[in-house]
Amino acid sequence: MQATAIAQPNIALIKYWGKRDLDRNLPAVGSISITLSELQTKVSVELSDELSDDVLLVNGDENQAMLPRMSSCLDKVLGQNRPHAIIQSHSNFPIAAGLASSASAFAATTVAAAGASNLSLGMQDLARLAGASSGSAARSLYGGFVELKNADDSITLTPLCDVDSWPLQVVVAITETGPKATGSTEAMEISRETSPFYSNWISQQEHDLEVARRAIERRDFAQLATIAEHNCLKMHSVMWASRPPMVFWNAATMRCLQTVRRLQGEGREVFFTIDAGPQVKAVCSPADVEAVSQALSETSGVQEIMTSCLGSGARLVESL
Ligand code: PMV
């Protein structure tokens, strides 16, 4: 009754922001992401009738704050009458800081929970279950470029391009390592209820998805760069105009954007994207990864740089 799974975070190029059904955690819009390879979360789930409650260890330390969401993730996969579990999670990157650690954690937990009780679920089912815990986690079931589409009552996942067909790289500039101030569910609801830009955000998303889909199909870096940056800045405009305003950026975040603009001016293939945190993710071609990582590491306020290729989807592995 034990299984271990690995999942990698994914970075949305066309973002998910807003929910259409809070109870079932269904997104208001579709999204397109890339799954990373070097950043990883490994989760082991051990089910036991001997335990009186669930236990969660994150990087070796007991974590009460995350436990209710993890327990609820296990309930979704195994039902509420399941045995209690010891869940051990290890990530090799900062968690809860806008680096999509919840995506990799819930994708890995979903796969490990299904493995621990020998459930044989297909990828779409696992993705839907992971997505019910954290919307972006559904995308980490798949590698490379993946699209999450809204279906009538659910979501569907479509791989758009595999890792080897367009081996882009991502340089993550970490500008702050502390946990973020507002969780994404709460922040999305504030945007939905108060942002004057929210309805435009929703109505324009299909257009952005279509442009990105075409760019990926043609491996058109410039077109993907333009639409991804536009979509990212539009999502942050929705947040900034919310009441209370939600500004996840710091001064170094802005300086990283200026660095990316300078690199683009020098002819480098690179674009930025930012999620609900202060980190900047620079997506670039392999030929430009060294220059991008050098320039971002020299940008004032950047504390750490992580570089990643694109990677594969969540999977069971031998043991923790
Ligand atoms: O899956 P959540 O609830 O952590 O929300 C993710 C939201 C963004 O990272 C900002 C955008 C996205 O599509 O990943």
Side-chain angles (χ1 to χ4, degrees), residues 253-264:
T253 312
M254 193 65 216
R255 281 195 289 270
C256 288
L257 298 201
Q258 289 167 336
T259 298
V260 171
R261 279 286 176 267
R262 176 170 59 74
L263 289 162
Q264 289 170 334

Side-chain angles (χ1 to χ4, degrees), residues 10-17 19 25 31-33 69 100 102-103 133-137 139 180 184-185 188 235-236 239 274-277 281:
N10 66 77
I11 305 295
L13 306 182
I14 303 297
K15 310 282 188 192
Y16 146 51
W17 193 252
K19 296 181 199 273
N25 204 37
S31 52
I32 292 178
S33 64
R69 276 185 82 190
S102 70
S133 293
S134 164
S136 55
R139 300 184 309 234
K180 58 189 175 192
S184 56
T185 296
M188 285 181 199
M235 178 185 77
H236 284 277
M239 299 174 182
I274 306 163
D275 292 300
K281 291 104 183 189

Side-chain angles (χ1 to χ4, degrees), residues 41-300:
T41 303
K42 204 178 204 185
V43 175
S44 135
V45 172
E46 188 178 348
L47 300 166
S48 162
D49 293 321
E50 313 284 290
L51 295 165
S52 58
D53 212 341
D54 292 334
V55 179
L56 171 66
L57 299 168
V58 176
N59 293 334
D61 296 326
E62 218 172 314
N63 187 318
Q64 289 295 339
M66 278 285 287
L67 181 61
R69 276 185 82 190
M70 281 297 202
S71 293
S72 151
C73 175
L74 297 194
D75 290 348
K76 288 180 178 97
V77 182
L78 306 172
Q80 302 210 338
N81 291 328
R82 63 178 173 83
H84 289 296
I86 299 176
I87 310 152
Q88 294 190 62
S89 169
H90 289 266
S91 289
N92 66 353
F93 59 97
I95 54 173
L99 280 178
S101 58
S102 70
S104 52
F106 287 109
T109 305
T110 301
V111 172
S117 65
N118 283 320
L119 287 181
S120 61
L121 295 170
M123 289 278 277
Q124 292 283 341
D125 288 330
L126 287 167
R128 281 187 197 115
L129 286 165
S133 293
S134 164
S136 55
R139 300 184 309 234
S140 278
L141 264 292
Y142 291 79
F145 291 74
V146 59
E147 176 168 4
L148 184 155
K149 290 183 189 166
N150 260 331
D152 274 353
D153 202 24
S154 183
I155 52 166
T156 56
L157 282 296
T158 313
L160 297 178
C161 170
D162 63 36
V163 176
D164 300 327
S165 306
W166 203 10
L168 297 181
Q169 301 213 11
V170 181
V171 178
V172 182
I174 297 172
T175 64
E176 220 171 279
T177 48
K180 58 189 175 192
T182 319
S184 56
T185 296
E186 188 191 341
M188 285 181 199
E189 281 302 287
I190 293 173
S191 291
R192 187 179 64 75
E193 285 165 3
T194 67
S195 179
F197 303 152
Y198 185 79
S199 59
N200 278 340
W201 159 256
I202 302 292
S203 65
Q204 291 175 15
Q205 186 79 343
E206 192 45 53
H207 168 265
D208 293 4
L209 287 164
E210 176 55 27
V211 173
R213 237 178 259 134
R214 244 184 293 130
I216 293 164
E217 200 179 297
R218 296 182 192 150
R219 318 283 188 263
D220 183 337
F221 191 92
Q223 195 178 26
L224 185 60
T226 306
I227 196 65
E229 288 188 353
H230 167 71
N231 188 265
C232 163
L233 294 176
K234 196 161 52 178
M235 178 185 77
H236 284 277
S237 305
V238 170
M239 299 174 182
W240 285 29
S242 298
R243 291 169 182 233
M246 290 172 293
V247 180
F248 289 102
W249 302 9
N250 58 32
T253 312
M254 193 65 216
R255 281 195 289 270
C256 288
L257 298 201
Q258 289 167 336
T259 298
V260 171
R261 279 286 176 267
R262 176 170 59 74
L263 289 162
Q264 289 170 334
E266 292 165 3
R268 302 284 181 190
E269 274 193 332
V270 57
F271 65 85
F272 64 78
T273 189
I274 306 163
D275 292 300
Q279 331 302 2
V280 175
K281 291 104 183 189
V283 181
C284 59
S285 62
D288 289 321
V289 70
E290 264 187 52
V292 170
S293 125
Q294 179 75 22
L296 283 171
S297 66
E298 286 165 1
T299 300
S300 157

